[in-house]
Amino acid sequence: MGDTLNINNKAQQQNTFDAIVIGSGISGGWAAKELTEKGLKVLMLERGRNFEHLKDYKSASKDIWEFPHHGRVTQEELKRHPVIARTWGTYEPIIDYWANDVEAPYVEIKPFKWWRAYQFGGRSILWGRQSYRWSDFDFEGNAKDGWAIDWPIRYKDIEPWYDYVEEFIGVSGSIENIPQLPDGHFTPPMDLTCVEKDVSARIKEKFGRHMIIGRSANTTIPKEGRTNCQFRNRCWEGCPFGGYFSTQSSTFPAAMKSGNLTMRPWSIVTKILYDKDTKKATGVEVLDADNNQTYQYFSKIVFVNASALNSAWVLMNSATDIWPEGLGSSSGELGHNIMDHHYNVGASGTVEGYEDKYYYGRRPNGFYIVRFANLFGDKRDFLRGFGYQGSGSRENWSRSVAELSIGGAYKDALTEPGQWTIGMTGFGELLPYHENKIYLDKNKKDKWGLPVLAMDAELKDNELKMRKAIREEAVAMLEASGVKNINSWDNGHEIGDGIHEMGSARMGNDPKTSVLNKWNQVWDAQNVFVTDGAFMVSSACQNPSLTYMAMTARAANHAVEELKKGNI
Amino acid sequence: MDRREALSRVALIMGGTIIGAEAFLSGCKNPPAKEGLFSTEDVALLDEVGDTILPTTAASPGAKAAQIGAFMKVIVTDCYTPEDQKIFTDGIIKLQDAAQKKYSKSFMEMSPEQRTEFLIALDKEANDRSKEIAANDSKLTDEQKHERKLQQDLGTYKRPVEDDPHYFSLIKQLTLWGYFTSKPGATQALRYVAVPGSYQGCIPYKKGDKAWAT
């Protein structure tokens, strides 16, 4: 065990904090903010480089023509990103925001797209910002269907924490009074386009379904230290205005203001140090990704926020002398029940009659069609449901022009906006299956000689049936709204591609069937909290980050209370 | 970009309007091209071809003002697969041969009217090719498409020759994309506002108003 290393007392003292947070992304940033603001001395560990707000957004004030390839990635760049090369994430200004897939490989037992960002702020820089609350239809889903295990919490447990995080991060959205998608504390909503408004009205009239403006963590009013969204729609390059929520723009400045935060980049946590006598973690071991030295840091509590799959990886590598499969594996569920949201299935078409309408600005958001399947009497041949995200806009120069192919008239025609189109993709719930799993492949090593994850997860019958419905319902709604030239598709879905991987260390009421208790504490080491997507018991169909934030703030509050009481 | 935009790009690929859009999404997976795929004369020729596709009009400058020949050279050299590089560079030779055959002079020596007439015919040829490719694609079963996707992910996919794009489709698409994302294209042919500051979802549009660059 690492904690038997001979470290002198002074060094140990210097390396001792009240809390350690593993990871600096969406949930790690929230853990650091909450714990430091409550007075704890916190060490935040990031496995990649530092990445500073404003200073490191190198492309943010450049125009597209200032990039040698106008946004297209070069082959040299793609060599470092063979996984991202299979996705829509290849864009010249941000290609290096993605992890180097070659240095940190993984094994695909079944096809798996793992979108990783190994730098300070993690994927909070690159995320899609869609922010939706869950409802009790979601928290009660497993129990009602008799699927997997019950969630140990209900909406009332998380509701005040949704309020709390929304207020801080700034979520723009509209008040709708929809039971399955509770309203939040929103900043003013963005507009729907003319076409979206009318399609929304027709869908409401003909189906009783809700097509609303997306709820997006782009604040439409200024927040402390942040300007409101400027509608450039270049969020993922890093926003020089702080217009959207990221660790850099929001939680990190708050944590720094407390004076209690130490941030250490290049810190790959190789294990959590565990003391079998006290049955608690004592700290972590870190491999410095830059100089390959090993360091130990000590703390009263550890928050694990390395992203769902890497958090499971850290647990799998910890306390293996007690549990060969790692800390939290006593239930047999660590690394199992891997979920995601499946998409790449939808429909689009053209809309006539709005030639005298247009829009101003670039909206970093679209519309959202709220789940309707298997709710309020709707009954399907599959469990759970799906939502849709999409947008309606006018075509640009990349369209074809009738009767013209070359020359001045052709060029001038292309300088005007084309016809209106509208399109959407479903986002479907994926059930937790024990056999959808990840595990350590000890034969394959990464650049630092560490074992890598093997991914063995796939869509099953329930999801495939759902995808048929997603496609058919998309066509039906567009048809009923008068949309023409409808084209529908199902391009298949590899797990991970939703960038919502989750479930690897689920919470529950029973230590025999879950890794974490209802406060996100590892049953087998109650001063270890896992509050990223790993804790999820089911996936619902809403984008999950807001729920991770709320659950992290809730767990941090609980951790500090328990510390005060001397319980951990 | 986000998933909604990725979605609209997918729609464009499916509509067959952007040849090489797949390469835009997946980039190039092959070793870097050696120096010198293009001569100075090639770049000058591509400037003229590009400027015939998108010439200067009363409203805005043409593709040459965006150094479209040099742009094509950069993209083909840095981002194209060797297969597409060959189609493109062979295409330059084919284009010159066809011009010589039809007009008994080089493209550079042809009048603007001749150039336009020549490229309209070439564009038709390229469109016919695109239709054939789309027809090939529509013959594939869902399983075959899935298999192709897996091979593309694994990097083992080899595009059959009958699915090779026409070289003029490549030239035309690089011209359009290069021009409308260039400074003159985005700011003079189209309307560009670097920092809109607000969003209005539904405003009046009158015929003749320029489209937003992005």
Side-chain angles (χ1 to χ4, degrees):
Chain A
M1 286 294 288
D3 43 350
T4 61
L5 278 180
N6 186 17
I7 294 181
N8 71 51
N9 286 337
K10 187 162 172 251
Q12 172 142 2
Q13 208 173 2
Q14 281 173 347
N15 284 0
T16 298
F17 297 81
D18 293 324
I20 290 170
V21 176
I22 306 170
S24 63
I26 286 176
S27 66
W30 264 99
K33 170 187 172 320
E34 292 304 297
L35 296 171
T36 55
E37 287 183 342
K38 289 175 192 298
L40 271 58
K41 295 284 179 195
V42 174
L43 173 67
M44 180 190 240
L45 298 168
E46 163 52 48
R47 65 168 293 156
R49 63 175 168 151
N50 193 12
F51 191 76
E52 286 184 43
H53 191 42
L54 311 182
K55 176 175 155 286
D56 287 323
Y57 305 154
K58 296 212 162 50
S59 69
S61 55
K62 283 188 186 171
D63 291 309
I64 192 66
W65 53 84
E66 295 179 76
F67 294 91
H69 307 91
H70 290 202
R72 197 183 284 200
V73 289
T74 70
Q75 163 260 323
E76 272 308 300
E77 290 160 335
L78 275 183
K79 270 196 214 158
R80 298 191 288 273
H81 304 282
V83 177
I84 294 302
R86 290 155 52 186
T87 71
W88 48 265
T90 58
Y91 183 51
E92 188 173 24
I94 56 95
I95 188 67
D96 281 333
Y97 291 15
W98 300 117
N100 183 319
D101 298 320
V102 180
E103 289 182 354
Y106 60 94
V107 177
E108 298 181 61
I109 305 298
K110 299 199 176 86
F112 194 106
K113 288 182 187 165
W114 194 13
W115 302 60
R116 294 170 293 175
Y118 287 172
Q119 66 213 338
F120 180 63
R123 289 181 294 192
S124 78
I125 287 289
L126 294 148
W127 74 305
R129 308 167 306 283
Q130 293 289 298
S131 300
Y132 300 99
R133 292 187 178 206
W134 281 34
S135 74
D136 274 333
F137 292 103
D138 304 306
F139 289 113
E140 291 173 354
N142 280 2
K144 282 192 173 160
D145 297 334
W147 195 270
I149 58 167
D150 190 11
W151 274 88
I153 59 162
R154 289 294 181 265
Y155 183 66
K156 65 174 169 42
D157 297 304
I158 194 173
E159 185 179 14
W161 300 102
Y162 277 140
D163 293 347
Y164 179 68
V165 297
E166 283 166 351
E167 186 58 42
F168 182 75
I169 70 175
V171 177
S172 63
S174 53
I175 299 296
E176 301 284 352
N177 296 306
I178 301 167
Q180 66 272 39
L181 198 76
D183 291 324
H185 286 208
F186 299 136
T187 69
M190 297 177 196
D191 286 354
L192 290 168
T193 61
C194 330
V195 161
E196 292 166 349
K197 260 185 216 163
D198 286 0
V199 169
S200 168
R202 284 171 214 151
I203 287 176
K204 171 79 121 240
E205 180 197 328
K206 297 196 169 131
F207 299 89
R209 296 173 186 167
H210 306 280
M211 172 172 156
I212 64 175
I213 184 66
R215 295 173 175 175
S216 181
N218 293 82
T219 186
T220 46
I221 55 170
K223 293 270 169 187
E224 187 180 338
R226 298 168 55 195
T227 309
N228 52 305
C229 175
Q230 297 296 300
F231 297 96
R232 305 183 334 140
N233 195 22
R234 294 176 61 175
C235 312
W236 67 343
E237 294 175 59
C239 184
F241 301 95
Y244 72 99
F245 168 85
S246 65
T247 298
Q248 273 83 345
S249 73
S250 307
T251 44
F252 181 65
M256 287 306 280
K257 200 173 157 190
S258 72
N260 290 326
L261 184 69
T262 304
M263 202 285 282
R264 190 188 194 287
W266 302 117
S267 302
I268 303 174
V269 173
T270 50
K271 66 176 70 160
I272 293 165
L273 305 173
Y274 177 77
D275 180 58
K276 62 176 184 291
D277 297 328
T278 58
K279 296 191 169 60
K280 285 199 282 194
T282 56
V284 301
E285 186 174 289
V286 163
L287 176 66
D288 188 304
D290 193 42
N291 68 14
N292 287 314
Q293 300 292 306
T294 298
Y295 302 87
Q296 292 193 332
Y297 297 94
F298 305 95
S299 62
K300 296 172 196 157
I301 55 173
V302 176
F303 265 68
V304 189
N305 300 91
S307 82
L309 306 187
N310 275 330
S311 287
W313 182 94
V314 170
L315 293 174
M316 287 172 185
N317 281 295
S318 304
T320 49
D321 53 343
I322 322 272
W323 300 280
E325 304 303 318
L327 182 63
S329 67
S330 60
S331 62
E333 298 295 341
L334 179 62
H336 291 268
N337 312 299
I338 301 299
M339 295 170 281
D340 187 19
H341 289 131
H342 58 101
Y343 71 119
N344 296 318
V345 52
S348 63
T350 62
V351 186
E352 290 162 5
Y354 296 81
E355 288 74 21
D356 60 345
K357 298 282 190 271
Y358 208 20
Y359 37 79
Y360 172 83
R362 297 186 288 280
R363 186 185 63 189
N365 191 9
F367 65 72
Y368 187 70
I369 297 178
V370 181
R371 175 183 165 187
F372 49 82
N374 288 317
L375 289 176
F376 310 113
D378 179 289
K379 193 80 194 85
R380 305 279 168 160
D381 63 347
F382 54 85
L383 299 175
R384 316 295 168 87
F386 50 86
Y388 293 93
Q389 293 179 31
S391 63
S393 58
R394 293 189 76 159
E395 288 182 320
N396 66 6
W397 52 264
S398 66
R399 70 187 186 273
S400 52
V401 180
E403 309 300 325
L404 292 172
S405 62
I406 296 291
Y410 171 66
K411 191 189 83 176
D412 287 347
L414 289 180
T415 64
E416 292 181 14
Q419 68 185 336
W420 283 87
T421 63
I422 189 164
M424 57 173 121
T425 176
F427 277 75
E429 176 158 1
L430 210 159
L431 290 174
Y433 302 97
H434 179 79
E435 61 272 31
N436 271 352
K437 63 181 187 293
I438 58 170
Y439 56 90
L440 290 182
D441 181 335
K442 291 179 179 161
N443 298 316
K444 192 166 169 97
K445 298 278 179 359
D446 68 11
K447 180 191 168 186
W448 299 273
L450 301 167
V452 307
L453 284 174
M455 319 297 194
D456 185 2
E458 63 185 351
L459 299 187
K460 295 186 188 290
D461 189 51
N462 196 65
E463 290 74 36
L464 298 177
K465 280 182 178 153
M466 186 188 291
R467 292 177 77 80
K468 261 190 91 205
I470 290 173
R471 187 173 181 170
E472 288 165 6
E473 292 286 3
V475 171
M477 286 188 284
L478 292 180
E479 266 174 1
S481 305
V483 175
K484 309 269 191 259
N485 302 309
I486 295 169
N487 173 37
S488 72
W489 63 85
D490 178 353
N491 294 331
H493 185 84
E494 296 174 6
I495 308 287
D497 202 23
I499 332 180
H500 296 167
E501 69 278 8
M502 60 173 91
S504 50
R506 72 182 178 197
M507 54 178 12
N509 288 313
D510 182 351
K512 290 193 197 69
T513 57
S514 58
V515 180
L516 312 174
N517 71 12
K518 67 174 176 181
W519 298 104
N520 297 74
Q521 295 166 280
V522 177
W523 285 110
D524 296 330
Q526 302 219 348
N527 65 338
V528 178
F529 296 77
V530 183
T531 71
D532 57 20
F535 73 79
M536 301 290 272
V537 189
S538 65
S539 74
C541 61
Q542 298 93 315
N543 304 52
S545 299
L546 184 74
T547 297
Y548 303 167
M549 295 189 217
M551 289 297 281
T552 300
R554 176 178 176 268
N557 185 61
H558 182 72
V560 173
E561 281 178 3
E562 290 291 283
L563 269 181
K564 280 187 194 149
K565 289 181 198 156
N567 289 345
I568 52 173
Chain B
M1 191 170 72
D2 58 23
R3 272 171 285 226
R4 282 171 301 283
E5 284 172 65
L7 170 73
S8 66
R9 289 216 172 121
V10 169
L12 286 173
I13 298 163
M14 295 185 61
T17 55
I18 291 196
I19 304 293
E22 191 178 276
F24 187 95
L25 289 174
S26 68
C28 26
K29 294 179 182 174
N30 296 289
K34 58 185 186 299
E35 280 294 310
L37 278 178
F38 297 88
S39 65
T40 330
E41 290 74 24
D42 291 336
V43 172
L45 175 77
L46 291 170
D47 263 340
E48 295 304 324
V49 171
D51 212 57
T52 308
I53 297 170
L54 300 177
T56 299
T57 59
S60 54
K64 207 156 52 169
Q67 278 118 36
I68 203 68
F71 180 74
M72 286 193 246
K73 173 182 165 174
V74 168
I75 297 298
V76 173
T77 304
D78 290 353
C79 296
Y80 267 33
T81 61
E83 290 81 9
D84 285 349
Q85 283 176 339
K86 187 162 179 352
I87 291 169
F88 195 97
T89 51
D90 285 356
I92 292 175
I93 299 165
K94 283 183 191 166
L95 184 145
Q96 287 168 312
D97 288 352
Q100 197 69 42
K101 205 169 149 195
K102 204 163 169 183
Y103 296 92
S104 302
K105 52 176 131 176
S106 75
F107 186 84
M108 299 299 267
E109 291 162 343
M110 283 155 55
S111 70
E113 293 72 26
Q114 286 174 324
R115 288 177 180 182
T116 301
E117 181 189 75
F118 174 60
L119 291 190
I120 285 173
L122 210 51
D123 186 67
K124 193 178 172 311
E125 192 182 304
N127 278 339
D128 290 345
R129 183 94 197 86
S130 299
K131 280 177 200 152
E132 283 168 33
I133 295 168
N136 295 340
D137 197 68
S138 67
K139 279 183 220 141
L140 295 179
T141 63
D142 281 353
E143 283 82 60
Q144 285 169 319
K145 282 181 184 163
H146 183 65
E147 178 61 25
R148 179 175 65 182
K149 186 162 166 278
L150 284 179
Q151 287 177 8
Q152 283 168 341
D153 279 355
L154 294 168
T156 57
Y157 180 70
K158 201 92 182 99
R159 185 178 63 205
V161 184
E162 58 268 25
D163 283 350
D164 279 351
H166 191 286
Y167 69 87
F168 188 71
S169 297
L170 301 179
I171 292 176
K172 187 175 172 184
Q173 287 307 328
L174 285 186
T175 301
L176 289 172
W177 170 53
Y179 175 73
F180 286 114
T181 55
S182 72
K183 189 171 186 185
T187 63
Q188 290 175 262
L190 302 170
R191 274 191 287 175
Y192 179 67
V193 182
V195 184
S198 69
Y199 179 74
Q200 294 159 266
C202 195
I203 59 171
Y205 173 82
K206 66 175 194 310
K207 181 78 187 150
D209 288 349
K210 287 172 177 173
W212 302 116
T214 63

